[in-house]
Structure formats: structure tokens, C-alpha cells
Amino acid sequence: PRVIRKQAGMIIRKWRRVAIDTVCGSVTLSLSLVDLVLVALLCVQRVACDAFGLMAPRPPAGGLEPRPSVVVVGGSFAGLWAQRELSDSFDVTLVDRKDYFEYTPGVLRLFTRPSHLRAIARPLPRRRNKLLLAEVLEVHPSELRVRPIDGGEETSLPFDYLLLGLGSTYGCAPIRPTEREPDLPSRQASWDAAAARLAQAESVLIAGGGPVAVELAAEILEAYPSTQLTLVTSGRTLCSALPAAVGVECRQWLEARGASLIFESPVVSSRPDSVTLRGGQKLAADIVYMCTGAPPASEPLRPTLLSHLDPSGRLRVNEHLEVAAATSPDGDQEPLVRPGSEDRVSGARAQAGVSRWRRVYAMGDVAAHPSQELKLGHTAELNAHVAAANVVRAARGAPLLSYPHGAVGASRSPRVYAISLGAYDGVLAMNGIVLMGAVAAIAKRLIEWSKVAACEERPVGTLFWRVADSFTAWLSRTLLPPPPAAPHEVQTTLLFDGVCLLCSSFVHFVIDHNRDERIRFCALQSEAGKEMLRAHGLPLDVSTVVLIDECGVHVRSTAALRTLRLCGLPFRMLYAALIVLPAPARDLGYRAVAASRYRLFGKDKGESCRRMSKELRGRFLSS
């Protein structure tokens, strides 16, 4: 029987992979055909315009002549979105140290399949914009100091508007391209060398517990199942900045494939073949990958914008994503535009109190926005939505949009994450809903394909993401709003009516089905419960359960459903089916049951108590 089960499992996995490859291949082929149709339609439109004058050329933004100049620094998600939006109306120059775009979320697969670079890298666009391959040395209010990568002399690049999408650096080579990889052949050589080195290793150590560390570990274990892999992190969980279910699924996947996970063990020093943990313990391996952080690439900003950087090195921006005003160490405000001076773009007269950096915007990893949202490719593009729109509005003299409302029509952007666990598994999350397995793997592949298509300005790629971003924003505003923000890594706590027999029975149910035992319990009437309610600005209302988790504070039906999400199958499926309903509709049924719970189910007189172990007793907060 054991051999039969093993063979059956191998057959199922094989056909599962075939099914995933077939679905992804069919969808991408269909999208490619749609792309051909769109290209043909655009060609017909251009011919008709030239032959019959059916449509006048699109005028520059605001009707300004000559066209205002826009410099976009950084050829990744944010920079390329801004370039696509502005190139028809402005004189756009894209500045980067390399001549290609590389889909960063997909590069970890190159450690085991370097040939995959051909699928995720494309030349940077230059059809509607200028492309300057140069290193940015300094940023000034109306010009950049740059040095061409071909060894030319340092020069100035003037602009009317500047959009900074500098991205971040990364200590784990070769995840981020360097100045030694200005073109695709040199980049391919770097990945070939990294893959060859990994192929020879019998043991691998990864330091870090975030998505990059997890995805790299998954790629290695899928390609080299016999490799002895150790992942060490300073946190208590994996992917702690994401919903807890993401970290749980990633941990189970890695441990099922033999990975050794070490938690709450910060690395204090590292070498190519070993790390030293706090406390002096030393771990050795054939290869060590340090995946412990990605500082912003803000070095070009330090000469002139040092007082505008936050402690992490990110550039502070206001609600419009403009560089925020800074205060010098002696307490003086930054220099302002001279009142009454003429604006060389719009011809308007400058007003007192306007920052001299008012035409400089920051996007993505390098921007420090008051929302403090996670730095992801998705949020970087949302930044670019608002920054590009504000360039157009500034040129027209219109009021500027605020972020994130100007991008998604709400005060909080959608919380969307996708993590690959090899090529055939993954975790996909949006606003607290977590999907795992084949669905996530298919979604991650389609995201990768369509993002690459968009960045090379293929019509199907740009259209796909206009529709996808609009739909995601609508979904986040209506059916699936993001939960309120909560302190980082808060422990999941369920507050319940300690007198209600129905509520006590629900607690017993959760204890029996919450296998990872991460939910704590507290009676609403207890002092601890009252204190937690006050801390989160909630009144003492015993007619609702309250769930406090990594995504915030939840009440009524949302609290109950998010609790079921942590109780395994089939209850997780019930959560996924009902959470998409509007909360007011769900709460009607909840309120009806809550109003008659004492009459229908009675009160808990202590008869529902169970014998509790020391561990279970520790999960109840009573004081």
C-alpha cells in the first residue's frame, strides 16, 4: 500500500503540472492572438488618420508649446508606467544604467533556470521617448547631473518635471543588476555563473524570512530536492508583513520538502560559506544567500536632498507624491521659490511658500509616503498612476491628486501579494483573502507574462493591466475592502461574550479546529477585554465577537468568518465563499442571531468548561 500511495502521488503531481502548464499556455496564447488583433487595429487607425485626416494628432498636455520635458529615472515598474502615460504628451527621457527591463519578482527562478531570463527581460522602450543610459550623480530642482555609462563626461540634464523611480539595492547577488551588467548578454552571463555555482552545492543557507528568502528556498528545493537547505530568520514567522496564513502555508510547504527552518535567530555576521547568529552559534553551508533587506537606492539623492530622507534612506513625499518640504538641522525651512518669479513651464507667477522641489516626484521603493504601505511592484505602479497624473495636472494648472485616492478612489490601496513556491505552487492574497496551490501558481505566471508585455508596450499588456487595476480598485472599494490597519505582528485574539453559551461553543469549536494554535481568547467582560477594546477605540458591545489579527480589528460577521479562515478545510472554503458578500448584507443575519442568542441558546453557567492543559490555559487572557 505504501508503494501504491507513493506512485499514485507521483502520477497526481505529474498530471497537476501538466494541467497548470496547459492552462497557462492556453491563456498566454489567447492573449498573444488578442495582441495581434489590437496591433492590426492600431495600424488601421493610423493609416486612416494619415489618409483621411479622421483624427487630429493628440496635442501636448495643456496645449503647451514646446512640449514640457519630463525625466523619468528608473526603468522598472513605476518608471515604465509613467513613461507609457506621458510619452504622447511630453518630451520624455528615460534614464537608467541598463538598456533592459527585468521582471524582478521572477528573477529568483534564474538561480536554477538561467535560460528563463529570455522570458522576463526586454529592451527598454525608446519608440516614443528618449533613452539615456547613464548613472545619476546628483539631483537638483531643475536638472540632473549624470555620467553616461559608456565613459563619457559628466553632464547636466535639464527638466521641467522629474519622476524618481530609483528602486532599491540588494545584497544577495545577482538579484539586482549592477553597473557591470548594462546589457542583456552581460546579465545572462551573471545568471549563468550563479546557476552553475548553485548546481554544485550540496548545502545552502538562506538568511531572511521575507518573500524573497521564501521564494528562493522554494526554487532551490524544487530544482534540487536533495539539497540540504537551511533558512534562518530573526522573526517568529515567515513573511511576517503579510497575512499570517501566507506565512503558515509557506512554512508547511518548505518543511514538507525537508527544509530546516530556524526562527528568532538574527544573523550578526556572514561569510560566503557561513553565518554567525546572535549568541555565537555558527552555521556553515556551501553557499550562503543573504536575503535580509533591500535598502532604497537613494545614494544619488544624498548630496542635495539629505534633509528630505527618512532614517531608512527613503525620500519623504507629501500626499501628492511631491518631495516634501524639509527642515534643516538649524531649524530653518528649506529655500523656497522666490515670490513673483515666473514659472517657465506654465508662465504662471510662483507664490510664496512653494517648495523649490515642487516638480520632483518620487515613486516606489525610494518614496516614503505617509501611508507606509508595503513596497511591492503593484504599489509602485499605483504611485506612478498618481505621479504621472499630477504631472499632467500641474502642466494644465489643475489641482493635484492625492495618493492613494487618486489611484484607487479610496483612502487605502488594495493589499495584493503573490508568492511563488516553485513553478507549480504559490500563495495569492488580496485584502486578507488567501488562495493557495495551483490557482496561485497560475495567477503568478499570468501576472509575470502580462507585466512583461506591458513594459514592452504591447497593446494587450497595457490593456490587461488597465482593466486589472481598475477591477482590483473597484473590488477593494466595494465587495472586498482592506481591513483597518493594525500594529505590526499583532497576535490574533478572539474576544467573545463570556456569558453567551453560543459564543462559548464557538470558542470550543475554534480550539478543536485551529491546528496551529495561534488564536488567543478573551472574554469581552474581562478587564483584559475592556482594555483591548479601549486600545482599539471600540465600545463594550457584547452583541458581537471581535477579532484582532495582523490585518486589523474586525467585528460581527467579518470577525466570525476570518476566524473560520484559520480553522482549516472545509471552513476556509466557507470563508472564501461568504466574505465576498457586502458586509452590511452579511451582518443582517449576524445581528438577528445575536439579538436572540440568550433566548435560543441560553447562558453559559460554567457547564461548558473543558479540562484545559497548561498550554491551552495560556491562550486565555483573563486579567
Side-chain angles (χ1 to χ4, degrees), residues 111 172-173 194 197-198 204-208 216 220 287-291:
F111 277 100
C172 182
R197 181 168 175 251
L198 175 60
V204 173
L205 189 147
I206 299 175
L216 178 56
I220 294 173
I287 299 181
V288 172
Y289 295 113
M290 294 297 297
C291 303

Side-chain angles (χ1 to χ4, degrees), residues 373-425:
E373 62 188 5
L374 288 177
K375 297 300 182 182
L376 305 166
H378 174 69
T379 53
E381 288 194 342
L382 292 181
N383 289 174
H385 288 200
V386 172
N390 281 342
V391 167
V392 175
R393 285 171 168 263
R396 293 174 176 169
L400 302 185
L401 299 177
S402 61
Y403 182 83
H405 197 278
V408 298
S411 59
R412 298 187 66 205
S413 59
R415 304 182 66 179
V416 183
Y417 328 96
I419 295 179
S420 295
L421 297 173
Y424 299 96
D425 274 301

Side-chain angles (χ1 to χ4, degrees), residues 65 150 231 305 325 333 362 383 409 413 458 492 502:
E65 290 291 351
D150 60 5
L231 188 148
L305 285 163
Q333 290 293 318
N383 289 174
S413 59
R458 292 174 61 181
T492 303
L502 175 63

Side-chain angles (χ1 to χ4, degrees), residues 74-130:
S76 192
F77 294 107
L80 292 184
W81 180 279
Q83 170 267 324
R84 293 195 298 273
E85 289 297 295
L86 298 174
S87 289
D88 285 336
S89 298
F90 293 82
D91 183 10
V92 175
T93 300
L94 179 63
V95 181
D96 205 307
R97 294 188 306 182
K98 60 188 188 327
D99 65 0
Y100 57 90
F101 161 79
E102 185 179 63
Y103 181 73
T104 305
V107 300
L108 298 174
R109 187 154 300 157
L110 303 180
F111 277 100
T112 59
R113 289 174 50 197
S115 61
H116 187 58
L117 181 65
R118 293 192 293 270
I120 63 171
R122 295 290 187 274
L124 286 175
R126 59 180 78 196
R127 181 173 58 85
R128 298 183 299 136
N129 59 278
K130 302 172 186 175

Side-chain angles (χ1 to χ4, degrees), residues 464-488:
F464 181 95
W465 281 104
R466 285 187 184 280
V467 174
D469 285 344
S470 298
F471 177 74
T472 302
W474 173 81
L475 196 63
S476 188
R477 290 194 306 269
T478 55
L479 299 180
L480 192 60
H488 182 54

